[in-house]
């Protein structure tokens, strides 16, 4: 017959990682290497954008922020990770110092004065479009 341990005998606790929690009740540590590899691959495949455009939220669909903008900092789908207003401002090209008065629109106008995207001459088809517009103008003036 097998003897049962007396109440005063304690089962030896195992604590391999020495964090003070018995290994039999401690949850397994998740393997995050797969997620890290996936994020690294997303960054390699999407060199034109990064999580900054989603306010630093790496779980958002930041790859699509330059085309759809749904989960971008000013998009229509807010994500839980978009609570850092400093990161959101940097993503939009607008930063405020601590205690600086918020003057909506002023910084955006200043930011946009020198944006190459807003300069028609920066587009790849500008020379052709300019030539077509000049020809159209000449035709209208000679009519």
């Amino acid at each position: 017959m097998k003897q049962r341990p007396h109440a005063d005998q304690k089962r030896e606790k195992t604590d391999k990682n020495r964090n003070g929690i018995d290994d039999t009740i401690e949850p397994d540590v998740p393997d995050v290497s797969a997620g890290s590899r996936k994020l690294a691959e997303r960054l390699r495949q999407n060199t034109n954008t990064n999580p900054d455009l989603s306010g630093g939220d790496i779980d958002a669909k930041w790859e699509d922020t330059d085309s759809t903008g749904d989960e971008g900092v000013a998009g229509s789908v807010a994500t839980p990770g978009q609570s850092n207003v400093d990161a959101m401002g940097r993503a939009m090209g607008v930063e405020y110092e601590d205690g600086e008065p918020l003057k909506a629109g002023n910084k955006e106008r200043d930011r946009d004065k020198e944006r190459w995207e807003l300069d028609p001459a920066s587009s790849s088809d500008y020379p052709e479009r300019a030539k077509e517009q000049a020809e159209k103008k000449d035709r209208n003036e000679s009519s």
Side-chain angles (χ1 to χ4, degrees):
M1 183 166 174
K2 197 173 187 182
Q3 288 185 340
R4 291 179 22 174
H6 294 294
D8 60 337
Q9 290 178 324
K10 292 189 177 181
R11 183 181 61 80
E12 189 175 320
K13 174 166 97 168
T14 56
D15 186 13
K16 292 179 183 174
N17 61 2
R18 298 181 178 187
N19 65 356
I21 302 172
D22 188 338
D23 291 343
T24 60
I25 62 170
E26 182 174 20
D28 291 333
V29 176
D31 179 13
V32 296
S33 60
S36 297
R37 285 192 300 275
K38 185 176 179 182
L39 176 59
E41 183 62 25
R42 287 170 69 190
L43 288 166
R44 272 194 297 280
Q45 290 178 352
N46 298 284
T47 57
N48 61 328
T49 186
N50 62 51
D52 290 345
L53 295 178
S54 64
D57 185 358
I58 61 170
D59 295 326
K61 292 181 182 178
W62 51 265
E63 301 98 319
D64 300 334
T65 55
D66 62 340
S67 57
T68 63
D70 288 345
E71 293 185 359
V73 294
S76 60
V77 180
T79 64
Q82 293 178 344
S83 60
N84 183 332
V85 294
D86 290 331
M88 293 170 64
R90 277 191 300 280
M92 294 175 60
V94 180
E95 295 184 57
Y96 283 86
E97 296 295 323
D98 288 342
E100 181 180 356
L102 179 63
K103 296 179 181 175
N106 291 349
K107 285 201 176 200
E108 291 85 350
R109 278 190 290 282
D110 291 343
R111 174 201 64 197
D112 293 345
K113 284 179 185 174
E114 301 298 323
R115 288 189 56 173
W116 67 270
E117 301 99 327
L118 300 176
D119 180 4
S122 69
S123 66
S124 60
D125 66 341
Y126 178 74
E128 295 87 27
R129 287 187 301 115
K131 183 178 177 183
E132 288 173 10
Q133 288 176 348
E135 290 171 355
K136 186 176 180 179
K137 183 179 177 184
D138 289 344
R139 282 194 304 267
N140 289 340
E141 288 178 356
S142 64
S143 309

